[in-house]
């Protein structure tokens, strides 16, 4: 293609996104003539923004809250992973056809692999806190990685029950979450609890086995109270920044055909660059 290509992010809001830092860093590193723009798109403008994207020769877009489900209405199709997760976080423009995919599951599992190495011992019994969009991506990725048992628990019990039924897994009431921790090999927080400006997660993790790992998809702060308490008990922990970086890695590769490196330097730049 001639001239600069366009990629970016649509959501509402998007101004606090760190994705431009990541994608622009890689574009410069691999000398790719492209831009990554933020498109603040209110729900009633979604159709028009996607239409606009068809007219121009855009490589694709990332999609964030609140459009991850609705956007599929305006696309030409979804690939298998987006269909299974039930949400789109990345659109690719394949010769004028807009195809929705989802790189959050890859981001989730790749981050865990980087943090824990071989995941086999951690996939025997997994408890997921939460039942939002990120949880759906985590369930599909954990399933594909060979998780033996996945248990959901969520403040709104019905949401967890519906999601658990859909994916053929178990759910337990939020009030009973501490009771299931005894033989858990991996505990994952997929709620927004512990994020800056949100309440902390109130959870006693004393009954987790000593070989268990704890992962929090929250990355601001990098060390959430949950991870702090897990570390103080000598448990392995994985922070949430890698999920953001690896979902971006797969999107970048889909658009530009180069698998960019996730490095310590990029982690630092992503965290330290003001937005
Ligand atoms: P995302 O799609 O990014 O995962 P979301 O759909 O808003 O975001 O999900 C947020 C998750 O955090 C949900 O599981 C939500 O629980 P509810 O389904 O009960 O809303 C959970 N969450 C948010 N605030 C919470 C709180 N104060 N206590 C417990 N869970 C909370």
């Amino acid at each position: 293609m001639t001239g600069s290509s366009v990629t970016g992010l649509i959501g509402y809001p998007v101004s606090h996104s760190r994705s431009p830092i990541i994608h622009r860093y890689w574009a410069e590193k691999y000398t790719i003539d492209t831009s990554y723009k933020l498109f603040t798109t209110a729900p009633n403008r979604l159709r028009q923004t996607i239409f606009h994207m068809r007219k121009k020769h855009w490589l694709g877009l990332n999609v964030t809250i609140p459009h991850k489900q609705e956007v599929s209405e305006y696309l030409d199709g979804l690939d298998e992973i987006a269909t299974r997760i039930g949400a789109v976080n990345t659109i690719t423009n394949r010769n004028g056809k807009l195809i929705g995919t989802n790189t959050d599951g890859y981001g989730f599992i790749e981050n865990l692999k980087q943090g824990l190495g071989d995941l086999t011992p951690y996939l025997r019994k997994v408890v997921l806190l939460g039942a939002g969009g990120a949880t759906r991506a985590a369930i599909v990725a954990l399933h594909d990685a060979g998780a033996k048992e996945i248990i959901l628990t969520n403040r709104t019990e019905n949401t967890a029950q519906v999601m658990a039924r859909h994916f053929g897994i178990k759910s337990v009431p939020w009030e009973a979450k501490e009771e299931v921790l005894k033989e858990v090999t991996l505990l994952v927080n997929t709620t927004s609890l512990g994020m800056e400006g949100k309440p902390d997660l109130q959870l006693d993790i004393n009954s987790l086995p000593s070989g268990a790992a704890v992962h929090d998809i929250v990355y601001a702060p990098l060390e959430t109270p949950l991870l702090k308490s897990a570390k103080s008990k000598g448990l392995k922990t994985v922070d949430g920044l890698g999920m953001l970086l690896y979902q971006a890695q797969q999107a970048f590769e889909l658009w530009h055909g180069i698998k960019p490196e996730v490095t310590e330097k990029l982690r630092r730049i992503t965290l330290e660059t003001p937005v």
Side-chain angles (χ1 to χ4, degrees), residues 150-154 157 160-162 164-165 169-173:
I150 304 173
I151 300 170
L152 276 188
T153 182
N154 189 52
E157 193 175 352
Q161 284 172 338
V162 170
R165 213 172 303 130
I169 58 177
K170 283 190 226 162
S171 68
V172 295

Side-chain angles (χ1 to χ4, degrees), residues 98-134:
L98 301 184
I99 305 298
T101 186
N102 195 311
T103 68
D104 284 334
Y106 168 83
F108 174 84
I109 211 75
E110 200 56 31
N111 184 34
L112 277 182
K113 283 184 192 163
Q114 294 300 322
L116 300 172
D118 177 15
L119 293 183
T120 316
Y122 300 101
L123 296 181
R124 285 201 298 275
K125 188 168 181 176
V126 184
V127 166
L128 299 178
L129 309 170

Side-chain angles (χ1 to χ4, degrees), residues 7-29:
T7 62
L9 172 68
I10 49 170
Y12 194 67
V14 287
S15 57
H16 286 88
S17 170
R18 297 195 170 268
S19 292
I21 301 166
I22 303 166
H23 283 273
R24 289 170 192 168
Y25 173 83
W26 283 330
E28 197 179 325
K29 179 169 172 176

Side-chain angles (χ1 to χ4, degrees), residues 128-140 152 154 163 167 190-191 217:
L128 299 178
L129 309 170
T135 322
R136 299 178 70 90
I139 294 169
V140 170
L152 276 188
N154 189 52
M163 195 175 285
F167 287 109
T190 72
T191 74
I217 68 161

Side-chain angles (χ1 to χ4, degrees), residues 209-265:
S210 59
V214 179
H215 171 40
D216 203 326
I217 68 161
V218 169
Y219 62 85
L222 206 51
E223 188 175 79
T224 61
L226 172 66
L227 293 186
K228 202 174 215 160
S229 125
K231 265 186 200 163
S232 75
K233 290 175 178 30
L235 302 177
K236 287 207 166 155
T237 60
V238 180
D239 67 57
L241 182 61
M243 181 169 173
L244 175 74
L245 297 171
Y246 286 103
Q247 65 74 30
Q249 180 189 56
Q250 197 178 46
F252 191 94
E253 188 178 9
L254 284 167
W255 295 331
H256 303 294
I258 288 174
K259 185 176 182 176
E261 256 191 315
V262 173
T263 57
E264 258 318 304
K265 184 177 175 193

Side-chain angles (χ1 to χ4, degrees), residues 64-65 68 129-136 153-157 159-160 163 174 177 189-193 195 198-201 217:
T64 191
I65 291 165
K68 284 185 172 187
L129 309 170
T135 322
R136 299 178 70 90
T153 182
N154 189 52
R155 174 181 60 177
T156 309
E157 193 175 352
T159 317
M163 195 175 285
W174 188 242
K177 57 189 177 304
N189 176 40
T190 72
T191 74
S192 49
L193 294 172
M195 197 183 283
K198 302 271 174 154
D200 282 351
L201 170 67
I217 68 161

